[in-house]
Amino acid sequence: MATPAPAKVIKDAAKDVAQDVTPDIVDAQVILTPLLDALDIVGVAVFALSGALIAAKERQTFVTLAFFALLTGVGGGSVRDLLIGAPVFWMTDPWVAAACLLVALAVWFTPTRWWDGKLLDYADGVGLTAYAVLGSAKALSYGIPPVPAMVMGVVTGTVGGIIRDVIAGRPSILMRPELYVTAAALSASLCVIGSVLEGPRLLVWTGAALAGLALRGAAIHYNLSLPPYHERRAATDAEAQQPD
Amino acid sequence: MATPAPAKVIKDAAKDVAQDVTPDIVDAQVILTPLLDALDIVGVAVFALSGALIAAKERQTFVTLAFFALLTGVGGGSVRDLLIGAPVFWMTDPWVAAACLLVALAVWFTPTRWWDGKLLDYADGVGLTAYAVLGSAKALSYGIPPVPAMVMGVVTGTVGGIIRDVIAGRPSILMRPELYVTAAALSASLCVIGSVLEGPRLLVWTGAALAGLALRGAAIHYNLSLPPYHERRAATDAEAQQPD
Amino acid sequence: MATPAPAKVIKDAAKDVAQDVTPDIVDAQVILTPLLDALDIVGVAVFALSGALIAAKERQTFVTLAFFALLTGVGGGSVRDLLIGAPVFWMTDPWVAAACLLVALAVWFTPTRWWDGKLLDYADGVGLTAYAVLGSAKALSYGIPPVPAMVMGVVTGTVGGIIRDVIAGRPSILMRPELYVTAAALSASLCVIGSVLEGPRLLVWTGAALAGLALRGAAIHYNLSLPPYHERRAATDAEAQQPD
């Protein structure tokens, strides 16, 4: 018969309650899961490492190292999942939180210089741009419109680090002119544009991640930064305020 | 027949899962949407403007301006929606995030003094009190009891600014004696009281917003502020501590 | 017949949408509610008191006292509920927010020294460890796996205080070597381990809370603290960095 199976009707009705957000959950699971699960845990671990290292450099206790590893590792993805209405990813996965605690243990028992340096910066760049793509793609798969989906990519990549800096009382990555948030924004934008234009998924994702990573890599290598507000713009304003 | 349509039964059952929160969603949409949609986007834009201006004055890059515009513009409403269990408003609306980015662009290409001054303070007061009313009304329409609904009004009006200040490393509006949070609390309280007493909705909302705005306007014009803890209260305590 | 009642089927289907999280809601309500409701409001009040006192000591206004009471009182539980996908507890309970406001009133009209001192530290320790147990138990009852459920216990006990410190611009409890977060982690871990081993619920909960409280009490009484990163570990690292 043409009648849909009752279970499906019921599930669809239940989904409708979520008001306009039509979480394309099954599709997202089938496609995202096998491809991105490994990447996901690597991203969490890299961010957790950066959180634990900051706590270690401030001579904190193991408990603080573990807390920083966790909130830096899962912070961005948690905020994304809450905003798009998805179950928070590390609540249903028994390994993510454990991975963060293992990273904290590894940092605790080793000198920080083992981990630090340019290599960590590049690894962080990989996590940042991969997460920007993953975050945008997940938001789109939950029916979020393009502009907020792009923002979700940036949020996924950067909010963990922002929370880490705020709690540690450090100047936030958000306030530095480095091309950091910008690299995430580039990857997220390309991912959304490519998806809206229905480009081949693997190509769009890989291209978007590599473009952001290239920008971030160039920024690390050549110390590139964005111009601040006053230099290029509003010269009149700056002059007018000189007497102050 | 008296039997309700199956789809409705199913939807109602799905809603029941949300445990005691009976989101009066249809009613809320019909009544709130046409009246408040325009106000909503104006509120977002005013708050986004205040966020972008703070970033511009700290000589930040465009990416930082955009991030601050966004988190100040949508922060309060996002926290409210998460707490009351509603879909986050700017996730289903393609224009809210775009409006914040446009505001950031406008600030980037103009001198900050174009925007600053008393006029912005009053515009911010309009956004604050309108949001306090909107937040309380939305919470009530989702079945939240009166006291937490009042708190949701204050949260909607002030949390965007609090997040902005925390990330920028500035003293929070919460810590200043200005009648700012208080104006939001007045509007939210009047809205909740009027709604519980089943006053005519338009009158309650308008009156609540205007009362808060009058208080905030007086505070701006006459530099009014609340008394701090030690002046009026606990004089004995203060004296006892003098030897310190 | 063996056919389940239609309403149950529908509700189950609706729950399935929540993807793998199988909120054992009915069970949680029946068991947790009568036993822990009183404890819950006491925990909220103790945390609210600590928030209001900090605002009072910084000579803030009543509105700020109330805001700090509220966010310290309900912050940890709110983040937990959002992460595990439960309705936020104080949104469905008309008394929690009111209790926080009453605590703020009590602090406002009394000298802070009435409240302060060792007794408050111990009361705070009771709230901390009780909340760690309550948070873990609630997470487990929502089908969260063991490690993240343990983290939820720590989050419930500590996040309110962390938000309070961040907004007040104080060094976070997270950054101090005191056995504070550690006591919460001990209680949460014991609760999760006991629950996974299916120990008798009341015994597990009481034992877990008392163990954490004993640790916290010893830390208060003997000024115990955890070793920081550099003292015990990575001596080579410290030596290598001496020339800096």
Side-chain angles (χ1 to χ4, degrees):
Chain A
M1 305 238 180
T3 331
K8 192 174 175 316
V9 172
I10 290 167
K11 283 202 180 177
D12 286 356
K15 278 183 190 172
D16 283 344
V17 174
Q19 276 191 310
D20 295 333
V21 187
T22 46
D24 201 348
I25 289 173
V26 178
D27 180 50
Q29 279 186 325
V30 170
I31 296 169
L32 287 176
T33 305
L35 183 64
L36 295 177
D37 258 15
L39 194 62
D40 205 13
I41 208 87
V42 169
V44 167
V46 168
F47 283 139
L49 180 58
S50 85
L53 280 175
I54 280 177
K57 285 185 199 156
E58 305 222 352
R59 305 297 180 211
Q60 295 292 330
T61 69
F62 175 71
V63 169
T64 308
L65 259 72
F67 213 107
F68 268 82
L70 201 79
L71 63 84
T72 314
V74 304
S78 302
V79 171
R80 174 204 60 209
D81 287 345
L82 290 175
L83 290 175
I84 68 176
V88 175
F89 71 107
W90 58 289
M91 286 294 118
T92 51
D93 181 326
W95 300 114
V96 173
C100 291
L101 299 183
L102 285 179
V103 166
L105 267 180
V107 169
W108 179 251
F109 283 110
T110 53
T112 57
R113 71 182 145 72
W114 282 20
W115 303 99
D116 232 342
K118 289 273 167 173
L119 187 63
L120 180 66
D121 281 348
Y122 287 106
D124 186 76
V126 172
L128 173 74
T129 50
Y131 259 40
V133 171
L134 176 59
S136 297
K138 185 167 183 180
L140 288 172
S141 82
Y142 271 75
I144 307 297
V147 176
M150 187 273 281
V151 173
M152 286 303 94
V154 178
V155 161
T156 310
T158 61
V159 162
I162 291 173
I163 299 176
R164 174 199 66 203
D165 292 342
V166 162
I167 294 189
R170 293 154 35 100
S172 167
I173 44 169
L174 200 53
M175 308 297 280
R176 280 182 268 150
E178 290 170 44
L179 287 161
Y180 188 88
V181 181
T182 310
L186 177 63
S187 286
S189 303
L190 290 178
C191 173
V192 169
I193 292 169
S195 303
V196 168
L197 298 178
E198 296 185 11
R201 199 169 289 215
L202 192 64
L203 187 70
V204 166
W205 289 357
T206 317
L210 287 180
L213 184 57
L215 180 62
R216 179 69 192 132
I220 296 171
H221 195 256
Y222 300 108
N223 279 312
L224 299 184
S225 64
L226 283 184
Y229 174 72
H230 72 300
E231 284 180 10
R232 289 196 324 180
R233 310 284 163 196
T236 336
D237 184 36
E239 286 166 18
Q241 289 188 347
Q242 270 185 341
D244 293 356
Chain B
M1 305 243 177
T3 330
K8 192 175 174 314
V9 172
I10 291 168
K11 284 201 180 178
D12 286 356
K15 279 184 190 172
D16 282 344
V17 175
Q19 275 191 310
D20 295 333
V21 187
T22 46
D24 201 348
I25 288 172
V26 178
D27 181 49
Q29 279 187 326
V30 170
I31 297 169
L32 287 175
T33 305
L35 184 64
L36 295 177
D37 258 15
L39 194 61
D40 205 13
I41 207 87
V42 170
V44 166
V46 168
F47 283 139
L49 180 58
S50 85
L53 280 175
I54 281 177
K57 286 186 198 155
E58 305 222 352
R59 306 297 179 210
Q60 295 291 331
T61 68
F62 175 70
V63 169
T64 308
L65 260 73
F67 213 107
F68 268 82
L70 200 79
L71 63 84
T72 314
V74 303
S78 301
V79 171
R80 173 204 61 208
D81 286 344
L82 290 175
L83 291 175
I84 68 176
V88 176
F89 72 107
W90 59 289
M91 286 294 119
T92 50
D93 181 326
W95 300 113
V96 173
C100 292
L101 299 183
L102 285 179
V103 166
L105 267 180
V107 170
W108 179 251
F109 283 110
T110 53
T112 57
R113 71 182 145 71
W114 281 21
W115 303 99
D116 232 342
K118 289 273 167 173
L119 187 62
L120 180 67
D121 282 347
Y122 286 106
D124 186 76
V126 172
L128 174 74
T129 50
Y131 259 41
V133 171
L134 175 59
S136 297
K138 184 167 183 180
L140 288 172
S141 82
Y142 271 75
I144 307 296
V147 176
M150 187 273 281
V151 173
M152 285 304 95
V154 178
V155 161
T156 310
T158 61
V159 162
I162 291 173
I163 299 176
R164 174 198 66 203
D165 291 342
V166 163
I167 294 189
R170 292 156 35 101
S172 166
I173 44 169
L174 200 52
M175 308 297 280
R176 279 182 269 149
E178 290 170 44
L179 288 161
Y180 188 87
V181 181
T182 311
L186 177 62
S187 286
S189 304
L190 290 177
C191 173
V192 169
I193 292 169
S195 302
V196 168
L197 297 178
E198 296 185 10
R201 198 168 291 215
L202 192 63
L203 188 69
V204 166
W205 289 356
T206 317
L210 287 180
L213 185 57
L215 180 61
R216 179 69 192 133
I220 295 170
H221 195 255
Y222 301 108
N223 279 313
L224 299 184
S225 64
L226 283 185
Y229 174 72
H230 73 300
E231 283 180 10
R232 290 196 323 181
R233 309 285 164 195
T236 336
D237 184 35
E239 285 165 19
Q241 289 187 346
Q242 270 185 342
D244 294 355
Chain C
M1 305 240 178
T3 331
K8 193 175 174 315
V9 173
I10 291 168
K11 284 202 180 178
D12 287 356
K15 278 184 190 171
D16 282 344
V17 174
Q19 276 191 310
D20 295 332
V21 188
T22 46
D24 201 348
I25 288 172
V26 178
D27 180 50
Q29 279 187 325
V30 169
I31 297 169
L32 288 175
T33 305
L35 183 64
L36 295 177
D37 258 15
L39 193 62
D40 205 14
I41 207 88
V42 170
V44 166
V46 168
F47 283 138
L49 180 58
S50 86
L53 281 175
I54 281 176
K57 286 185 198 156
E58 305 222 352
R59 306 296 180 214
Q60 295 291 330
T61 69
F62 175 71
V63 169
T64 308
L65 260 72
F67 212 108
F68 268 82
L70 200 79
L71 63 85
T72 314
V74 304
S78 301
V79 171
R80 174 204 60 209
D81 287 345
L82 290 175
L83 290 175
I84 68 176
V88 176
F89 72 107
W90 59 288
M91 286 294 119
T92 50
D93 181 326
W95 300 113
V96 173
C100 292
L101 299 183
L102 285 179
V103 166
L105 267 180
V107 169
W108 179 251
F109 283 110
T110 53
T112 57
R113 70 183 144 72
W114 281 20
W115 302 100
D116 233 341
K118 289 272 166 175
L119 187 63
L120 180 66
D121 282 347
Y122 287 106
D124 186 76
V126 172
L128 174 74
T129 51
Y131 258 41
V133 171
L134 176 60
S136 296
K138 185 167 183 180
L140 288 172
S141 82
Y142 271 75
I144 307 297
V147 176
M150 187 273 281
V151 173
M152 286 303 95
V154 178
V155 161
T156 310
T158 61
V159 162
I162 291 173
I163 299 176
R164 174 199 66 204
D165 292 341
V166 163
I167 295 188
R170 292 156 34 101
S172 166
I173 44 170
L174 200 52
M175 307 297 279
R176 280 182 268 149
E178 291 170 44
L179 287 161
Y180 188 87
V181 180
T182 311
L186 177 63
S187 286
S189 303
L190 290 177
C191 173
V192 168
I193 292 169
S195 302
V196 168
L197 298 178
E198 296 185 11
R201 198 169 291 215
L202 193 63
L203 188 70
V204 167
W205 289 356
T206 317
L210 287 180
L213 185 57
L215 180 61
R216 180 69 192 132
I220 296 170
H221 195 256
Y222 300 107
N223 279 312
L224 300 183
S225 64
L226 283 184
Y229 173 72
H230 72 301
E231 284 180 11
R232 289 195 323 180
R233 308 286 164 195
T236 336
D237 184 35
E239 285 165 19
Q241 288 187 346
Q242 271 185 340
D244 293 356

